[in-house]
């Protein structure tokens, strides 16, 4: 006797809570997939704008710093030039005051009367040569004119030995004549002289040979006659 055929049992439906959980999971995944990338792009765009704004601010600050630095440099240069100009004016004022005092002593009623003399000697380097300026004065015979010739001689050391160079040596001319002078109260006589290489000058002597009267000689140390620049160097 054959057994009766059993019909298949019907599938049980999923519990309701499982369906709800699956639905929420799928919905959350879809929401994350849809919204999160857009939010990230918005945040990236915001950060990019902030970076650009900060970069612009940095460039502006750098430009302001460069402007301030340049302005400070210009101010320093202007102040340095002003200080140099003031120093030059102070020197000019001091020289003018010295000139006034010199003129007062020379032509004033209380000034000391002197015959022909060398009031001052100034030496200034010009390349390989030296330019000299000798200031000659006389106020003993007022109204009288002093005429004559001026020459120089230099003493120095070279190779450990004392050397004396006469006017012809300094002018590099065998028959060099002295420089003429002619004045009533004072005159500045200028000229150039050349020293041989290796010579260290120590003393310079000015010789005056007037047309009337005896010769006049006056010596100066090279150091006191040489003009020095602002750094204290001979020039």
């Amino acid at each position: 006797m054959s057994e009766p055929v059993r019909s298949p049992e019907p599938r049980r439906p999923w519990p309701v809570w499982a369906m709800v959980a699956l639905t929420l999971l799928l919905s959350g995944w879809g929401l994350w997939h849809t919204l999160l990338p857009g939010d990230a792009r918005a945040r990236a765009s915001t950060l990019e704008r902030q970076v650009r704004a900060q970069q612009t601010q940095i460039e502006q600050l750098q430009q302001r710093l460069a402007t301030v630095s340049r302005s400070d440099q210009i101010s320093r240069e202007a102040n340095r030039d002003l200080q140099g100009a003031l120093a030059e004016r102070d020197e000019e004022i001091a020289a003018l005051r010295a000139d006034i005092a010199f003129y007062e002593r020379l032509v004033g009623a209380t000034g000391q009367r002197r015959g022909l003399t060398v009031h001052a000697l100034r030496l200034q380097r010009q390349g390989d040569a030296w330019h000299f300026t000798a200031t000659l004065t006389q106020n003993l015979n007022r109204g009288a004119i002093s005429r004559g010739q001026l020459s120089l001689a230099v003493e120095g050391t070279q190779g450990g030995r004392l050397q004396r160079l006469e006017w012809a040596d300094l002018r590099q001319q065998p028959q060099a004549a002295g420089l003429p002078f002619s004045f009533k109260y004072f005159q500045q006589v200028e000229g150039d002289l050349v020293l041989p290489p290796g010579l260290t000058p120590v003393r310079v002597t000015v010789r005056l040979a007037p047309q009337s009267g005896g010769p006049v000689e006056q010596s100066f140390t090279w150091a006191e006659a040489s003009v020095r620049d602002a750094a204290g160097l001979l020039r």
Side-chain angles (χ1 to χ4, degrees):
M1 175 181 239
S2 61
E3 295 181 359
V5 179
R6 296 178 181 181
S7 58
E9 294 181 358
R11 295 181 179 180
R12 296 178 181 179
W14 286 17
V16 176
W17 62 267
M19 293 295 293
V20 173
L22 181 60
T23 301
L24 291 174
L25 180 62
L26 294 176
S27 299
W29 181 85
L31 182 63
W32 176 85
H33 182 73
T34 302
L35 297 180
L36 188 58
D39 182 64
R41 287 193 297 271
R43 292 182 59 189
S45 178
T46 301
L47 291 175
E48 185 177 358
R49 288 195 300 270
Q50 291 178 353
V51 169
R52 287 198 300 267
Q54 292 178 356
Q55 184 65 33
T56 301
Q57 186 177 11
I58 290 174
E59 292 175 356
Q60 292 175 350
L61 291 175
Q62 289 177 340
Q63 185 175 4
R64 290 179 59 186
L65 178 60
T67 302
V68 171
S69 299
R70 179 56 181 167
S71 177
D72 181 67
Q73 180 182 1
I74 293 174
S75 299
R76 290 177 181 272
E77 293 177 354
N79 183 61
R80 185 166 54 250
D81 294 341
L82 179 59
Q83 293 295 331
L86 290 176
E88 291 179 359
R89 296 299 177 270
D90 288 340
E91 292 180 359
E92 292 177 358
I93 291 173
L96 290 174
R97 287 176 176 173
D99 290 342
I100 292 173
F102 164 70
Y103 297 144
E104 288 179 348
R105 290 194 305 268
L106 187 62
V107 301
T110 59
Q112 184 179 2
R113 298 297 179 87
R114 280 186 168 184
L116 181 62
T117 186
V118 181
H119 176 75
L121 177 66
R122 177 177 177 178
L123 294 164
Q124 186 172 5
R125 183 188 291 275
Q126 292 186 349
D128 296 332
W130 286 84
H131 185 78
F132 68 86
T133 303
T135 302
L136 312 182
T137 63
Q138 81 85 24
N139 64 351
L140 183 60
N141 297 320
R142 297 195 175 188
I145 297 178
S146 297
R147 294 187 177 90
Q149 290 186 339
L150 174 148
S151 61
L152 275 67
V154 174
E155 299 175 15
T157 59
Q158 186 176 26
R161 300 179 58 184
L162 182 63
Q163 299 287 337
R164 182 180 178 86
L165 302 177
E166 300 297 336
W167 179 245
D169 301 322
L170 299 175
R171 300 287 285 186
Q172 296 184 334
Q173 298 175 7
Q175 303 296 327
L179 300 179
F181 64 84
S182 177
F183 65 94
K184 182 179 295 187
Y185 291 108
F186 73 94
Q187 181 181 358
Q188 286 187 329
V189 181
E190 300 184 35
D192 298 305
L193 54 87
V194 179
L195 301 180
L199 179 74
T200 302
V202 177
R203 184 179 301 275
V204 55
T205 300
V206 181
R207 294 174 177 173
L208 303 179
Q211 291 181 353
S212 60
V216 176
E217 289 191 0
Q218 192 163 345
S219 296
F220 302 84
T221 65
W222 191 271
E224 68 183 0
S226 301
V227 178
R228 297 177 179 270
D229 60 16
L233 301 177
L234 293 178
R235 59 180 179 88

